Amino acid sequence: MRKTFYFLTLCAGLSTNLFAQDQKATVEKIVTEATENSQLKVLAHELLDVVGPRLVGTPELKEAHDWAVQTYTDWGISAENQQWGVWKGWDRGITHIDLVSPRSVSLEGMQLAWSPSTSSKGVEAEVIILPEAKDSLSFQNMLKQVKGKFVLISMQQPTGRPDDNWEEWATPESFEKMKKDRDVLKDAWDARIQATGYSSRELPKILEEAGAVGVITSNWSRGFGVNKVFSAYTDDIPMVDIALEDYGLLYRLAEYGDKPSIKVVAQSKNLGEVPTFNTIAQIKGSEKPDEYVILSAHFDSWDGAQGATDNGTGTLVMMEAMRILKEVYPNPKRTILVGHWSSEEQGLNGSRAFVKDHPEIVAGVQAVFNQDNGTGRVANISGNGFLNAYDYVSSWLNAVPDEVANIETHFPGAPGRGGSDYASFVAAGAPAFNLSSLSWNYWNYTWHTNRDTYDKIVWDDLQNNAILTAVLAYMASEDDDKTSREQIVLPVNKRTGAQMTWPEPRDANRRGGLDD
């Protein structure tokens, strides 16, 4: 018996040692492929420079989906576009905004997403500030002032310098005075909006109905030269965003009675109802094909710039990780699937649709790894409320090279309820984890802004994240055990006193921007 036990123990030890050696060799191959044959810059050029921004409902997003399918196919990876709904189709054209009086100068700005078009000749008219009324009845009586005019509906910022610039150079007294003055201006502008009886989203339509020829906003992002660019709320007249510096010029000219006039040429096309897709690619599992390791990143973007760090970088990481895995780990134990979701920006729609439409895949999820907050090195991973997440995620991370895995973990954490596509899977009870990155001033300089461009990518950090993702996917695929889905008991809500509950799955908006 002792001899038999010794023999079995020896065999088990040899098997464990051989697996450890194979694991180490595979991880080394992943690192070598990522560092010596990186395709990140080529992919970034093709996606960001050639295709460009990927607003849902636009030809560019469909072009991106087709490009991704072809790229995966060229790598020998099965891929397809899966339609999950329809959206309001729109094709952005050229925007020109010029001050024509009291002097001539071209202004920095662009039409907002889904903005109505002008004629090819454009629209020329005086610019006025949103009328200031004491109450909604007075505002109705003042609405005739906007007829035939462009209307400024955003607060004039007192400074175009971000706070950290003030903090570095101003006296403490000057800095505090600026912030107090800004707060006073904000309160006054909020009161002006409130007195109209409408919200900021409702106002553009009201001004349109009153005869305005265009609506002008300036959604400053608290950094040098950055504005956030979202969607229009008008049906027939153009709605444009103008950079803080030029918006301030127009505002002061109007305020001082100089009667500024601008000419706006905003060319775009309403394309009606168009299909919207997710791109799904997979490397089929050899032993457990019905269990899945999912790599996740949303494919769509706002279109103020190129959508480089939101979420071009997450997309590039997942594509590069898939390419590496196909090269060094072509026969995974479990199926490795990548989802490039559309319409994340309008409410996680693509991933919610996938979770709803593919319960068999969700039931087989081993792990989901999602990346969606900029170009920085992954620095944080939460267990998202899965009680035993530490047991498996920490063991997978242990295989990641030390120079890559400088990561703070939070176990068991709390379930993510939104923010990115991992939340769609968490709500369905599938172990999903967000690979959260270092900031690189993401929130004010590139998130949804007119400066989210190729040049903001930090390539060393992106390569780091591709290695991390590939190793995590490999380890999750090879794990002998299926991951636990046991959830923590959530605490009582301190505000309401009620027991908190796990988030529930929600279906997608499958008819975005379309009237039923």
Side-chain angles (χ1 to χ4, degrees):
M1 290 295 293
R2 288 183 179 177
K3 290 182 179 180
T4 303
F5 177 76
Y6 175 76
F7 176 73
L8 291 174
T9 303
L10 178 62
C11 288
L14 288 172
S15 177
T16 301
N17 189 47
L18 287 172
F19 175 73
Q21 291 177 6
D22 288 345
Q23 175 184 303
K24 182 178 179 182
T26 301
V27 170
E28 288 175 350
K29 289 178 182 178
I30 287 172
V31 173
T32 298
E33 180 65 22
T35 54
E36 296 184 5
N37 192 33
S38 174
Q39 298 299 300
L40 287 170
K41 290 186 178 181
V42 172
L43 294 171
H45 168 68
E46 293 174 352
L47 179 62
L48 305 177
D49 290 338
V50 178
V51 176
R54 301 161 304 283
L55 182 72
V56 63
T58 62
E60 289 80 10
L61 181 55
K62 179 57 167 63
E63 183 181 350
H65 283 301
D66 292 341
W67 166 81
V69 168
Q70 186 60 56
T71 301
Y72 280 121
T73 301
D74 291 344
W75 292 340
I77 299 173
S78 174
E80 64 176 347
N81 291 329
Q82 296 182 357
Q83 183 178 348
W84 55 265
V86 292
W87 211 267
K88 178 181 179 180
W90 185 74
D91 189 11
R92 175 182 289 281
I94 300 299
T95 306
H96 287 297
I97 307 173
D98 300 303
L99 178 66
V100 295
S101 178
R103 60 189 179 90
S104 297
V105 61
S106 291
L107 306 179
E108 181 183 357
M110 64 191 307
Q111 61 189 312
L112 296 175
W114 300 293
S115 171
S117 178
T118 67
S119 68
S120 59
K121 294 182 179 179
V123 178
E124 183 175 329
E126 183 184 344
V127 176
I128 65 169
I129 301 168
L130 177 71
E132 185 173 14
K134 63 180 182 179
D135 54 36
S136 58
L137 180 60
S138 298
F139 181 71
Q140 292 297 323
N141 293 330
M142 300 173 75
L143 268 175
K144 59 180 178 293
Q145 298 177 22
V146 310
K147 186 174 182 179
K149 306 292 197 306
F150 284 101
V151 185
L152 303 170
I153 66 165
S154 295
M155 164 187 162
Q156 180 194 19
Q157 294 291 339
T159 177
R161 295 181 180 275
D163 282 7
D164 57 2
N165 190 252
W166 276 84
E167 193 168 19
E168 181 177 2
W169 299 108
T171 64
E173 295 78 12
S174 180
F175 184 31
E176 288 303 313
K177 181 176 182 298
M178 183 280 292
K179 289 191 290 184
K180 288 180 181 178
D181 290 346
R182 185 173 61 194
D183 288 344
V184 169
L185 287 172
K186 183 180 184 305
D187 290 344
W189 190 261
D190 289 346
R192 182 183 290 219
I193 297 292
Q194 186 175 9
T196 68
Y198 302 101
S199 69
S200 296
R201 289 194 172 196
E202 294 169 329
L203 261 178
K205 181 62 179 170
I206 298 303
L207 297 172
E208 177 179 64
E209 292 173 351
V213 299
V215 177
I216 303 172
T217 68
S218 185
N219 191 3
W220 188 47
S221 192
R222 299 214 170 198
F224 282 116
V226 286
N227 272 30
K228 297 195 185 300
V229 181
F230 293 114
S231 57
Y233 301 110
T234 51
D235 294 329
D236 299 307
I237 63 173
M239 190 167 175
V240 300
D241 186 271
I242 293 182
L244 173 148
E245 295 80 3
D246 288 336
Y247 187 88
L249 169 63
L250 293 178
Y251 197 104
R252 291 188 300 275
L253 288 170
E255 187 175 40
Y256 278 89
D258 296 301
K259 295 190 174 184
S261 290
I262 63 171
K263 180 178 180 180
V264 173
V265 178
Q267 296 182 337
S268 57
K269 294 179 182 178
N270 186 339
L271 303 179
E273 181 180 298
V274 300
T276 188
F277 305 89
N278 294 321
T279 295
I280 306 299
Q282 56 183 321
I283 306 171
K284 202 69 175 175
S286 58
E287 296 182 29
K288 299 182 177 183
D290 295 329
E291 294 185 15
Y292 297 85
V293 177
I294 297 180
L295 307 187
S296 169
H298 75 84
F299 210 24
D300 65 306
S301 72
W302 286 102
D303 70 337
Q306 292 175 291
T309 69
D310 186 22
N311 189 30
T313 44
T315 297
L316 297 172
V317 163
M318 299 307 160
M319 293 188 75
E320 177 74 345
M322 287 291 284
R323 183 193 69 79
I324 293 167
L325 290 166
K326 178 63 176 177
E327 186 69 25
V328 307
Y329 182 56
N331 298 299
K333 178 183 290 189
R334 294 176 172 88
T335 296
I336 299 178
L337 181 149
V338 63
H340 298 290
W341 322 114
S342 65
S343 191
E344 185 271 353
E345 297 294 3
Q346 289 72 40
L348 314 185
N349 288 305
S351 58
R352 281 177 172 166
F354 183 86
V355 167
K356 174 77 171 179
D357 296 345
H358 296 280
E360 76 289 354
I361 292 179
V362 175
V365 165
Q366 172 79 342
V368 177
F369 300 110
N370 183 81
Q371 210 280 317
D372 177 27
N373 70 318
T375 188
R377 291 170 65 94
V378 171
N380 289 277
I381 298 177
S382 167
N384 266 329
F386 291 98
L387 182 62
N388 302 305
Y390 171 82
D391 296 338
Y392 45 90
V393 175
S394 63
S395 68
W396 302 338
L397 281 171
N398 192 52
V400 179
D402 291 343
E403 63 272 19
V404 172
N406 186 17
I407 295 171
E408 183 178 342
T409 55
H410 304 271
F411 296 110
R417 297 175 183 272
S420 193
D421 295 293
Y422 69 92
S424 300
F425 292 89
V426 170
F433 310 100
N434 196 43
L435 308 180
S436 183
S437 299
L438 295 172
S439 169
W440 285 91
N441 294 108
Y442 173 70
W443 297 108
N444 57 338
Y445 273 99
T446 59
W447 182 70
H448 300 168
T449 76
N450 58 333
R451 295 292 184 262
D452 190 10
T453 46
Y454 179 104
D455 54 283
K456 307 305 186 305
I457 295 174
V458 180
W459 298 106
D460 289 343
D461 283 15
L462 212 62
Q463 181 175 279
N464 175 93
N465 295 347
I467 293 170
L468 171 68
T469 302
V471 174
L472 287 174
Y474 161 66
M475 291 297 296
S477 173
E478 284 292 306
D479 200 319
D480 289 335
D481 299 322
K482 182 81 185 305
T483 53
S484 167
R485 298 189 172 206
E486 189 174 355
Q487 300 167 1
I488 63 170
V489 176
L490 296 175
V492 170
N493 187 308
K494 292 181 180 180
R495 183 176 59 84
T496 65
Q499 180 73 45
M500 296 176 66
T501 59
W502 197 264
E504 295 183 359
R506 294 171 54 187
D507 198 3
N509 176 2
R510 298 182 188 251
R511 288 186 54 81
L514 298 167
D515 296 325
D516 293 327

